[in-house]
Amino acid sequence: MKRSNITLHARHRDKLQALLAHPQGHEGAAYMLLGKSEIAQDPWDLEARTRYTSYEVIAIPQEDRVDASVKHVTWNTNSFAQLCRRAKDVDLVPAIVHSHPGGFNGFSAQDDLSERDLFIMARNRNGAGTRLVSVVQVGDSLYRARVWEDEVAPLSCHRVTVIGTRIEIHSTDVPTPSEALARQALAFGPEVNDLLKQLSVAVVGCGGTGSPVVHLLARLGVGRIVVIDDDVVEHSNLNRLHGATRKDADNAVPKVDVMAREVTRMGLDVEIRSMNGWVDAPHIRDALKSCDVIFGCTDDHAGRLYLNRIAHFYLIPVIDVGLVLMPRHDGEPGLLEMAARVSVLFPTSACHGCRGTIDRIRAREEDLQRSDPEEYERQKTEAYVRGAGNPAPAVVTFTSEAATMAVNELIAGLVDFRGTGGWAWQRYRKLDKGFERMQAAQPQPDCPVCGSEEYWGLGDVDPFLDRVG
């Protein structure tokens, strides 16, 4: 059976809770429009999946409400017909949401009958291939969901995830506890191990920061990891590439294969898959869309911009790692600047462009270099693009420190160990001065990515990520 799950932006969850609340504890109802992402094959199970992402929450008009009690809620279908019309016009999936304030954990027989009628109405109006998603809020904050694709029986969604400054998982799967993680449970409680086991995480870039991120995630007990990189091990990598050996460099072994080998050798029941290629290659898309969190450990500007859009279209937080080791200008040994940065990219937070952490011109040049090397060389000769400079300095302790900062941000999103509400949107640490600060850049109103809600949770569109060229 094809699996599906739903991701709600926390701001949509908050709006739903407000719409469903009733002073006498009666059931409530609301609508949603959902983005849809079709995954032909996820990297672990090699099976098709569908992810639904919250795009808009819509109140049922007061004039359409008929009756409600602690055990039922009814409304007429005028507004539902309008919801279906909008869904078809903008290629989104209609959803109905109602509450079980008494705590009944699931869908009732009356829910089955009512939802079947609504699905038939939606299909009659929107045509073959129509889907209807149903979500129930159990009590104040637990969510269950299912999808109607035909009138015979709905398909259960195995998980509803809520993401904002925290990651909340409402799942029907119960992970098996691991003895290897018992000490971790002493720090944060057994719940954190359950959450980590249920996560699917991508690490893009397996170099100086990416390789320690992979090792740390595996030892934390993350259930499923996919590593993505186009590069091979070289001798100059061996001072900072965790797990790599001289033999790997001699044989030019792909970095992703080294990561998969080393995590498998740990024996910690982590499913890891390796994928060779640039992050924006078409064969990488399903892997990225299958993930709950993505770590951006690439040092190229084009890749960072690409992941920036993934975060907004698919409601997948991207934890981006940056490291600055700036050499002196006089040729003498030493560094002018040593700093590490971790940024969390997600709708309502500022994107890379608004934070000033990428150079769009450099991104264009990098993209040209990959897609059309001959044209890149021609433009470099004519001084339209910049040539590659000297290699950047690299010190394994500094790259590993930046990786640790990034993985700690994931933990903060699960257990809020700092007591500040979850992860910090951006942390900046001066490695040579011993101080750290949080940065709070704001989205710019004219930004095409984070300044408008047009793309947030939209899911699959053609062209992919609405990118042309």
Side-chain angles (χ1 to χ4, degrees):
M1 182 177 67
K2 185 176 181 180
R3 290 168 69 86
S4 62
N5 55 43
I6 296 176
T7 299
L8 301 178
H9 195 297
R11 67 196 178 104
H12 289 146
R13 185 274 314 275
D14 294 345
K15 185 173 181 180
L16 283 174
Q17 289 181 340
L19 290 175
L20 299 178
H22 191 279
Q24 278 78 48
H26 293 177
E27 290 190 6
Y31 298 134
M32 281 197 298
L33 288 173
L34 304 176
K36 178 181 62 178
S37 51
E38 296 292 359
I39 298 165
Q41 191 177 75
D42 83 23
W44 303 280
D45 301 325
L46 305 181
E47 295 179 353
R49 292 176 49 205
T50 304
R51 288 185 72 244
Y52 298 94
T53 44
S54 63
Y55 185 78
E56 184 179 355
V57 173
I58 302 166
I60 296 175
Q62 192 63 40
E63 59 268 23
D64 280 2
R65 297 173 182 268
V66 176
D67 191 24
S69 73
V70 294
K71 293 186 177 180
H72 82 285
V73 59
T74 58
W75 66 96
N76 69 46
T77 57
N78 292 336
S79 55
F80 182 73
Q82 296 172 16
L83 178 77
C84 293
R85 186 180 303 114
R86 278 200 62 199
K88 185 175 179 64
D89 289 345
V90 295
D91 195 24
L92 294 170
V93 178
I96 54 173
V97 188
H98 75 285
S99 62
H100 286 171
F104 179 72
N105 188 1
F107 294 87
S108 67
Q110 184 58 51
D111 292 337
D112 295 342
L113 295 174
S114 302
E115 290 174 14
R116 180 176 287 106
D117 290 343
L118 289 173
F119 167 74
I120 292 171
M121 177 181 172
R123 185 185 60 192
N124 290 342
R125 196 210 174 280
N126 289 6
T130 294
R131 300 178 190 180
L132 175 66
V133 173
S134 173
V135 180
V136 61
Q137 177 181 293
V138 181
D140 295 328
S141 58
L142 178 64
Y143 293 93
R144 297 285 184 251
R146 59 187 185 176
V147 183
W148 291 84
E149 296 185 0
D150 58 45
E151 60 190 84
V152 178
L155 304 175
S156 294
C157 290
H158 77 283
R159 191 170 77 176
V160 177
T161 305
V162 181
I163 302 181
T165 57
R166 300 281 304 276
I167 302 176
E168 304 171 22
I169 297 176
H170 308 269
S171 176
T172 56
D173 298 335
V174 181
T176 303
S178 170
E179 293 183 3
L181 303 175
R183 297 281 186 100
Q184 194 165 277
L186 292 177
F188 299 120
E191 296 81 8
V192 70
N193 290 344
D194 291 345
L195 290 171
L196 287 163
K197 184 65 176 177
Q198 294 180 70
L199 289 182
S200 299
V201 177
V203 180
V204 179
C206 297
T209 56
S211 62
V213 164
V214 172
H215 282 239
L216 290 168
L217 292 174
R219 295 200 181 279
L220 276 174
V222 167
R224 308 203 295 184
I225 301 173
V226 58
V227 288
I228 300 164
D229 200 311
D230 193 53
D231 207 356
V232 298
V233 179
E234 299 176 355
H235 290 92
S236 61
N237 304 147
L238 295 178
N239 74 318
R240 64 193 182 281
L241 191 63
H242 290 231
T245 66
R246 181 168 294 277
K247 184 177 179 180
D248 294 326
D250 291 341
N251 295 321
V253 176
K255 292 178 179 178
V256 292
D257 291 348
V258 172
M259 295 301 104
R261 179 191 71 204
E262 294 303 301
V263 169
T264 301
R265 288 177 58 191
M266 292 178 189
L268 294 176
D269 193 28
V270 177
E271 295 182 59
I272 185 164
R273 301 291 182 269
S274 59
M275 300 190 72
N276 271 96
W278 294 106
V279 66
D280 60 355
H283 74 283
I284 302 293
R285 293 174 185 173
D286 276 358
L288 294 175
K289 293 193 295 183
S290 300
C291 290
D292 301 300
V293 178
I294 299 170
F295 281 83
C297 303
T298 176
D299 58 2
D300 70 294
H301 295 247
R304 284 190 164 122
L305 273 180
Y306 184 83
L307 291 178
N308 202 136
R309 294 179 81 84
I310 290 282
H312 287 76
F313 273 78
Y314 292 101
L315 302 187
I316 301 173
V318 172
I319 302 177
D320 182 79
V321 191
L323 184 67
V324 176
L325 299 179
M326 186 180 295
R328 290 165 53 120
H329 301 309
D330 56 10
E332 294 295 320
L335 296 168
L336 288 178
E337 183 178 0
M338 294 179 280
R341 171 193 53 79
V342 172
S343 306
V344 180
L345 306 169
F346 193 69
T348 65
S349 73
C351 69
H352 271 312
C354 294
R355 296 180 201 222
T357 47
I358 53 93
D359 182 328
R360 295 184 185 276
I361 296 175
R362 284 278 299 278
R364 182 188 67 81
E365 294 169 355
E366 291 164 354
D367 198 51
L368 179 64
Q369 186 177 19
R370 289 201 291 265
S371 61
D372 192 344
E374 291 184 4
E375 177 62 15
Y376 173 82
E377 291 300 325
R378 186 190 70 78
Q379 292 193 21
K380 186 169 72 172
T381 300
E382 298 180 10
Y384 289 116
V385 302
R386 291 165 285 193
N390 294 323
V395 180
V396 65
T397 53
F398 296 159
T399 54
S400 298
E401 185 171 355
T404 301
M405 287 172 60
V407 176
N408 280 343
E409 216 53 55
L410 172 65
I411 298 174
L414 296 174
V415 298
D416 189 23
F417 65 87
R418 300 189 195 104
T420 56
W423 49 46
W425 293 117
Q426 184 150 295
R427 296 168 61 204
Y428 182 82
R429 178 178 296 174
K430 291 284 287 182
L431 302 175
D432 54 337
K433 304 296 183 183
F435 73 83
E436 180 178 306
R437 67 174 183 269
M438 308 296 182
Q439 296 176 317
Q442 296 299 314
Q444 300 301 308
D446 59 346
C447 177
V449 177
C450 68
S452 165
E453 299 183 20
E454 176 186 0
Y455 291 142
W456 300 1
L458 190 57
D460 290 341
V461 297
D462 187 18
F464 186 67
L465 298 179
D466 202 22
R467 296 168 83 232
V468 179

